Each structure stands twice: as C-alpha cells, then as structure tokens.
Amino acid sequence: MGEEEDLDVQLEAQLAEQEEFEPPEEFVEQANVSDPGIYEEFEEEWPQSWERAADLLDWDQEWDAVLDDSDAPFYEWFVDGELNAAYNCVDRHVESGRKNHAAIKWEGEAGETRTYTYQDLYREVNEFAAALRELGVEEDDVVTLHLPMIPELPIAMLACARIGAPHSVVFAGFSADALATRMNAADSEYLITCDGYYRRGDALDHIEKANNGLAGVEHDVEDVVVVDRLGDELPHQLAENQHDYAELVAAQEGERVEPVSRDAEDMLFLMYTSGTTGKPKGAKHTTGGYLSYAAWTTQSVLDVKPEDTYWCAADIGWITGHSYIVYGPLALGSTTMMYEGTPDYPDKDRLWEIVEKNAVDIFYTAPTAIRAFMKWGEEYPATRDLSSLRLLGTVGEPINPRAWKWYYKHIGNESCPIVDTWWQTETGGMMITTLPGINNMKPGSAGPALPGIDAKVIAPDKSEVEPGRAGHLTIQRPWPGMLRTVYKNDERFIQEYWEAYSNPEEDEWVYFPEDGAKIDDDGYITVLGRIDDVINVSGHRLGTMEIESAVVGVEGVAEAAVVGGSHEVKGEAVYVYAITEDESGGDEDLHDRVIDGVEEAIGPFARPEEIVFTPELPKTRSGKIMRRLLEDIANGNELGNTSTLRNPDVVEDIQQQVRSD
Ligand code: 6R9
C-alpha cells in the first residue's frame, strides 16, 4: 500500500469516528448569519424579533402588530399588513436594477436548457396572470396545478399569487384519483396541467391522467389550461374548456396586471398532505407569515445570497419545492435551479454534471437521494468539478451518520457545512437545524431549534424527557410560517396538532408534529420518525390508511394492514398484509391488481415493496391489528411477546412468507 493510500485509509477511519464537525472558517467569514447572539436576541425581543423576517419583504402596508394570539391556536401574524408575494419574488428585483439577473435556470431531462431572467419571469407571470383573469379566475379562487418540473409550474404559482388566487399544487406523480380528491376537497374549479413529460427518455402521458381525474371531480370545472411540453410527440385533442397555455400567454402579449395587495393572513396556497386518517389534510399557508418565514430561513439556514446559484433538487409538488425552490430563493432575488428529470438519467453523474455546468453554490436534497448516490459509488461525483459548492443541505427524513459523512466527503470535499433541516408541510419552513455560520454539526442530529423556535422533547405526562431518552417532539410557541388551519376543517386542525399536549383552560397551546425525538446535553435534537400512521418512502410522506383503503378497494381483498419496513435506499418501503376474500391465499393476478390499485389511488411512488397474503392478521384480544408486530416482521426484527394476541399462530406463517420472498 502506498503512503498516500495509507493516509486515505487513516482519514477515512477518522471521519467514521468523528462525531462533531466545525463549520469551516472561510464559510463562517462570509455567512449571512454568524453572530451566536442571534439566539438570545430572538428570545429577548420575541415575538417582535420576527420583524427581522418580515423586513426581508416589501410591504404595501406595514403591520400593526407582529402577533395576535387572542384566538389561539388560530394565530395571526403581521396583523393588518398587506403585500403581494409575486411582487416580492419578481417585480421588486426588476425595479431594483436586477432585471437581467437569472431568476430560474431550468435543465430538461434530455439536456435542453431554459433561463428566465427576472425580466423574463416578470413578463410571463404578468401575461399568464392576465390570461387567468380573462378566464374568470377571481381573487380567493383555488387554482389546482398538476404539473411536473417545468418552468410553467413556478410561473403559474406566481401568476396565481399575483391575482390573489391561492394555488393548490398536486405533485405530478399523484394519480387521477388523488388529483380528483384534492380538487374536490378544495372546491377548485380551475386546473393547470400539461400534455405529458419525460422520464428516463420516455414520454409520459399526463393529460390522460388529468382527464380521468376531472371525471372524478364532483363540481363543475370552469377551465383547464394545458402546457404543451411534448409537442408532436403526444398529439391530443383539447376539450371545449381546455386551453393551450402558450396560446393564452401569446394572446396577452405585453399585458401587465397590477399585483393585488393581500392581507398578511390571506391564503397564499394550500398543500395537501397525508395524516392519520385516509383523507389528506389541506395545510393552509398565508401570504405574510409564510413568505417572511421562507425568505428568512433561506437566508439564515441556506445562506443564499442574491448572486448565488442555488439548487434544491426536490420537486415543487411538495412543500420543500414551494418554500425552497420557488418562494424563498426568488424572494431573495437569487438564481434558483430546476431539474426536470431523474438523477440517474442519462447516467448516474447527471446531478453533478448540472452542478459543474452551472457552478452551483448551494445544494439541498433528501437523504434517500444520498443513499442512492452512495450505492452508485463515489466515482460519479469524482469525475465532476464540484468546487463551486459552499453549503449542502438535507431534508425529508432522518439522515444516518454514514450517509452524512459520505455527503460531507464526496460531495462537499470536507469543506462545506451540511444543514440537516427538520420541518414539515405544516411548519412552512425549517424549524430545527444548525445555523451553518454558527453551530457545530453532529451527523445524524438535525441540531438545535432555530432562533425564536421553542422545541421540547416531552413525555406523555408533558414533562421534559432527560437528554438521550426518546420522547415526543413539541413546539411550544407559534411561528410565522405555521399552517393556519386544515382547510375547511378547524376541528381537525385542533385535533391533529394541538389536542395532545395543549391545556386550553390555561390558554396554553403546544404544537405536536407527530414525530418522536431525543435531545442531547447541547440541545441538539435527533428526530426519530413519525409516531402516527404515516410512513416516509423516499422522502415522500404517505398515510398507511390511504394505502390500506386502496388495497381494500381491490376486488378479492377482504382486509388489509399497511406498515413501513426499513429499506436501504428509500428509508422506508410499503409492506402490505392482506386477507383474501375467498381464503384462496391470493395469486399473482391479485398481487398485480393490488399494485395497480395503489398506483391508481395514489401514484407509482406509493407502490408496495412486498405484498403478503395471509388468512388472518395478527390481532389483539380487543380486535385491533398489531401493526407494531407487522412492522417488526417487515424489518426482520426479533418479535417480542405475542401471547397477548388472539391468534398467535398466524405470526409464524406471515414471517415465513416474508422471509421466503
Ligand atoms: C419538509 C418535509 C415531514 C416529516 C416530518 C419528519 C420527516 C423531515 C426531517 C425529518 C428527520 C429531518 N422529516 N425532515 N426527519 N430529520 N431533517 O419533509 O415535509 O413531507 O410534510 O414531511 O418528514 O417525520 O414530520 P413533509
């Protein structure tokens, strides 16, 4: 072994053992936030301290009060303030002399590129806003966007924001049924979709899905706008109320639409997310609080500066893309990257090629992607020049220390801090993470709560748990980016998020995110995962109840239980245990129909990893399915005591089936 190699092995061993990492000095020197006093400042001035976030925006009307908590937990932020989100993300950068700065840099899957300067964005957002108005979209009408990662998606979001019409973006991978469910829940009468898009070189039909979805919408749909992504590759006939996006925009050439002044508390968008029951919840986010919070966390945590090329490799169809591809970076006037395709097409160095080509400064992705990169091998990033990178981030699920260190070394060249950011659809933006210019990093632990955020790990009796012990994560104070309610369901809002740990008589309100966590002596929080019936597959949040109802809907299935089993790359994978109606034990045909059923009800990303047909499900004496036990089976864990079961014999049978697959 050569000397150099020797050294490498030594360094590797050192890295494997190291539990704490300091941010590099060069990073700290240039960081947007590097004064540790910020934590104290936020405490001393709270809630006034949040003006710091709101001050990042231009307001048409200054707020009268930072926080109104008189009707908690229905908090209001920046009371009576007025602003427009599109103005803040587009116009003001044009007005301040940065109109030729790139706003969106888009890479198509097949290598085509498009760059929108702030001026280009201004033009198209105005023209599409004018088109929406002409179609009849009014302020407060919910517009559904079912689009993949093409520039028309953020443009449509901003056009909606400009005219004060809340958008509800439905991830393009969601099925026709899932689209219909969300349009029904939001009473949405407008849909923006596209003919299709590319995935690994194949043209996928999307408009068929839209049409099938529309068939399931219970109210009249006024208009559908169709972006022509595939041109001649997918010829299709538009129905009478369907319009071609490009034609609509062309017809409005040169039109300008005055941005509507929205109350700070007016809804900016709805984002449906999975919960404990089968019905997705519409998280309602506001214009003032949400946008302030997205801008502030983009600046303080992601360290984004106006001259940066910043890339969040998520999909805009999820909250991460809303806050950290669209609203945060554009509010700050930076360049935000968008990539249409998959990370391994045409080859496994695709993302690193994009970083190299665009000299990306900041890169933000999910642990599931990092685990896939690890599996593919370090040779893929090694062939590319990644020296433009300054900061790395992760989001969506816990990151194991090994993956963290791989990311640190092979992507960040041991010179980029990593922010492991814990947050949720409901929180609007990041809540628990290190500030990269201040805190040391501990692989596997997200970090302390952000300034102004009061996170505690507590036991069922509401007492704080000792450091190192597992408990429930709670947030003990409101914050500007929080959801305001579950759309059209205030009761569910209280039930899901506040009931568990609040004390309404004393007017004490505690937010419960339904995650388990532990805290260490330095106040660093390690998030352990969901404690409700939600599983996290490749960073996608899925309700097991939603999947169960899809499985039970398949002809021939009598009963089903769905749990998450751990998976090397996906984090968790979907395990289905199903009882067949005729006790036949299920065959290949039924197996395939269960897969189809799940893909139809939710989408291909929810596809079961394993389907086990069983004559019985393990149940307690009171008749409850023992999900824990099914989880242990999926994970190949030792099973504890099964004697409390009504039917202990069934366990071995199920276990054997899982093992033999
Ligand atoms: C932003 C987003 C939220 C759930 C959340 C938690 C998990 C997110 C995490 C994390 C550990 C992190 N989660 N970030 N767990 N460490 N850094 O992902 O929103 O799709 O609503 O999922 O994801 O379980 O409760 P969402």
Side-chain angles (χ1 to χ4, degrees):
M1 204 188 278
E3 237 171 69
E4 231 168 68
E5 240 173 283
D6 225 10
L7 199 66
D8 247 13
V9 172
Q10 271 177 27
L11 283 176
E12 196 78 52
Q14 227 172 27
L15 187 67
E17 272 176 27
Q18 196 173 336
E19 282 173 0
E20 199 160 333
F21 294 75
E22 274 179 35
E25 216 165 284
E26 315 83 82
F27 182 88
V28 174
E29 274 163 18
Q30 61 78 59
N32 283 336
V33 178
S34 58
D35 177 3
I38 190 156
Y39 288 94
E40 236 173 75
E41 265 170 49
F42 257 88
E43 285 312 305
E44 280 165 11
E45 297 161 22
W46 202 93
Q48 245 57 36
S49 39
W50 286 111
E51 291 191 333
R52 188 191 282 267
D55 283 340
L56 293 173
L57 305 179
D58 282 357
W59 295 73
D60 301 336
Q61 164 92 47
E62 187 89 356
W63 51 93
D64 291 333
V66 170
L67 173 65
D68 177 354
D69 59 3
S70 59
D71 188 24
F74 298 96
Y75 297 96
E76 294 190 1
W77 286 90
F78 310 118
V79 183
D80 291 335
E82 285 177 21
L83 76 166
N84 182 280
Y87 175 84
N88 273 282
C89 291
V90 187
D91 303 40
R92 63 172 179 155
H93 308 308
V94 172
E95 288 167 11
S96 68
R98 304 185 69 249
K99 65 177 185 181
N100 294 327
H101 193 76
I104 298 175
K105 271 181 142 184
W106 176 82
E107 289 263 345
E109 192 191 69
E112 54 193 314
T113 60
R114 277 197 246 166
T115 299
Y116 289 77
T117 63
Y118 275 96
Q119 177 69 27
D120 297 333
L121 193 58
Y122 175 76
R123 197 178 300 132
E124 196 157 326
V125 167
N126 268 284
E127 288 166 358
F128 191 50
L132 288 175
R133 273 247 175 101
E134 199 163 298
L135 289 177
V137 179
E138 289 178 9
E139 196 174 343
D140 295 320
D141 286 348
V142 176
V143 179
T144 302
L145 278 53
H146 192 38
L147 285 170
M149 287 291 283
I150 54 177
E152 287 80 1
L153 174 51
I155 288 168
M157 290 162 76
L158 292 164
C160 287
R162 192 168 193 87
I163 60 173
H167 52 73
S168 168
V169 179
V170 178
F171 172 59
F174 269 121
S175 67
D177 286 1
L179 171 66
T181 307
R182 284 157 181 76
M183 286 187 76
N184 284 329
D187 278 329
S188 175
E189 296 176 345
Y190 298 91
L191 172 67
I192 303 172
T193 183
C194 68
D195 57 345
Y197 56 102
Y198 294 102
R199 261 298 166 278
R200 296 203 166 88
D202 296 332
L204 296 191
D205 193 335
H206 196 61
I207 193 156
E208 194 195 343
K209 201 150 88 170
N211 287 331
N212 289 339
L214 287 166
V217 177
E218 287 150 6
H219 51 267
D220 282 342
V221 173
E222 297 287 336
D223 293 282
V224 178
V225 178
V226 184
V227 178
D228 184 358
R229 167 72 187 114
L230 297 180
D232 296 341
E233 199 150 348
L234 190 79
H236 56 270
Q237 200 83 48
L238 292 182
E240 209 179 307
N241 69 341
Q242 301 190 332
H243 317 272
D244 178 73
Y245 173 90
E247 277 173 28
L248 287 185
V249 168
Q252 302 292 338
E253 202 189 325
E255 278 304 313
R256 297 294 174 256
V257 174
E258 191 59 29
V260 173
S261 258
R262 297 280 281 169
D263 187 279
E265 282 297 307
D266 279 343
M267 172 157 62
L268 177 61
F269 67 87
L270 269 177
M271 171 110 254
Y272 281 90
T273 188
S274 297
T276 306
T277 70
K279 254 184 103 186
K281 305 175 276 196
K284 175 186 161 183
H285 282 292
T286 60
T287 311
Y290 168 83
L291 193 63
S292 302
Y293 200 71
W296 161 244
T297 46
T298 305
Q299 190 189 59
S300 61
V301 180
L302 294 170
D303 198 50
V304 170
K305 304 181 172 66
E307 61 274 18
D308 281 334
T309 298
Y310 155 81
W311 185 17
C312 166
D315 193 294
I316 295 176
W318 306 107
I319 191 71
T320 302
H322 277 52
S323 302
Y324 301 113
I325 298 178
V326 182
Y327 286 113
L330 293 179
L332 298 182
S334 67
T335 302
T336 186
M337 293 283 318
M338 272 180 80
Y339 172 51
E340 179 185 36
T342 45
D344 56 351
Y345 186 86
D347 206 349
K348 298 186 175 73
D349 65 345
R350 182 71 169 116
L351 301 191
W352 318 125
E353 180 200 354
I354 295 174
V355 169
E356 178 181 77
K357 189 168 126 196
N358 296 280
V360 170
D361 297 280
I362 297 155
F363 181 71
Y364 188 35
T365 191
T368 183
I370 298 167
R371 290 191 298 265
F373 305 151
M374 282 172 78
K375 222 175 144 183
W376 297 339
E378 59 200 60
E379 59 272 26
Y380 291 100
T383 57
R384 298 288 176 178
D385 179 2
L386 306 181
S387 61
S388 58
L389 291 169
R390 179 173 91 239
L391 175 75
L392 303 174
T394 75
V395 57
E397 43 173 333
I399 180 164
N400 49 310
R402 214 166 74 82
W404 192 102
K405 287 174 185 174
W406 190 93
Y407 194 34
Y408 187 68
K409 180 162 192 246
H410 297 289
I411 307 302
N413 191 29
E414 298 183 49
S415 58
C416 302
I418 296 178
V419 286
D420 171 0
T421 60
W422 177 89
W423 59 292
Q424 310 179 291
T425 302
E426 293 88 339
T427 69
M430 301 158 177
M431 301 288 282
I432 299 173
T433 168
T434 51
L435 281 169
I438 298 178
N439 310 111
N440 286 357
M441 300 159 267
K442 300 186 189 184
S445 169
L450 280 174
I453 302 298
D454 184 5
K456 285 196 168 67
V457 180
I458 64 174
D461 68 359
K462 301 186 190 177
S463 65
E464 274 187 71
V465 299
E466 277 167 51
R469 303 286 290 267
H472 286 175
L473 180 61
T474 59
I475 312 292
Q476 309 261 340
R477 250 186 344 209
W479 65 100
M482 66 197 297
L483 81 164
R484 295 304 191 266
T485 191
V486 171
Y487 191 52
K488 296 200 282 188
N489 202 340
D490 289 348
E491 218 171 289
R492 192 164 173 202
F493 173 62
I494 306 249
Q495 259 170 22
E496 293 252 2
Y497 303 108
W498 304 94
E499 217 152 62
Y501 290 113
S502 299
N503 188 352
E505 268 104 76
E506 302 289 324
D507 202 25
E508 282 166 10
W509 295 94
V510 173
Y511 174 83
F512 180 40
E514 301 187 269
D515 270 330
K518 59 184 185 178
I519 191 162
D520 73 6
D521 290 319
D522 300 327
Y524 277 51
I525 293 169
T526 298
V527 177
L528 301 167
R530 305 286 306 189
I531 55 100
D532 57 359
D533 297 320
V534 169
I535 57 177
N536 196 325
V537 179
S538 301
H540 301 321
R541 185 166 150 184
L542 292 170
T544 51
M545 296 297 162
E546 280 169 76
I547 307 173
E548 269 170 32
S549 90
V551 175
V552 173
V554 173
E555 213 186 300
V557 175
E559 201 181 341
V562 170
V563 300
S566 62
H567 186 279
E568 199 190 342
V569 173
K570 297 178 183 171
E572 281 184 291
V574 176
Y575 276 69
V576 174
Y577 301 88
I579 303 179
T580 52
E581 249 158 19
D582 57 4
E583 289 170 26
S584 67
D587 53 15
E588 208 162 308
D589 171 58
L590 187 58
H591 180 276
D592 293 349
R593 284 190 294 113
V594 167
I595 290 186
D596 289 349
V598 173
E599 292 196 350
E600 259 165 45
I602 302 166
F605 62 97
R607 187 190 172 96
E609 185 80 14
E610 179 104 48
I611 300 166
V612 176
F613 294 112
T614 166
E616 275 181 71
L617 288 165
K619 287 188 179 161
T620 61
R621 281 180 220 276
S622 61
K624 276 188 87 174
I625 299 173
M626 285 273 280
R627 283 167 211 283
R628 279 267 162 253
L629 195 68
L630 292 171
E631 263 169 37
D632 283 337
I633 294 173
N635 290 325
N637 293 345
E638 282 287 323
L639 303 185
N641 186 357
T642 54
S643 65
T644 55
L645 288 179
R646 184 158 61 182
N647 49 357
D649 304 344
V650 45
V651 174
E652 199 166 322
D653 180 55
I654 297 177
Q655 233 176 347
Q656 252 162 19
Q657 276 200 63
V658 173
R659 277 204 208 109
S660 66
D661 277 324

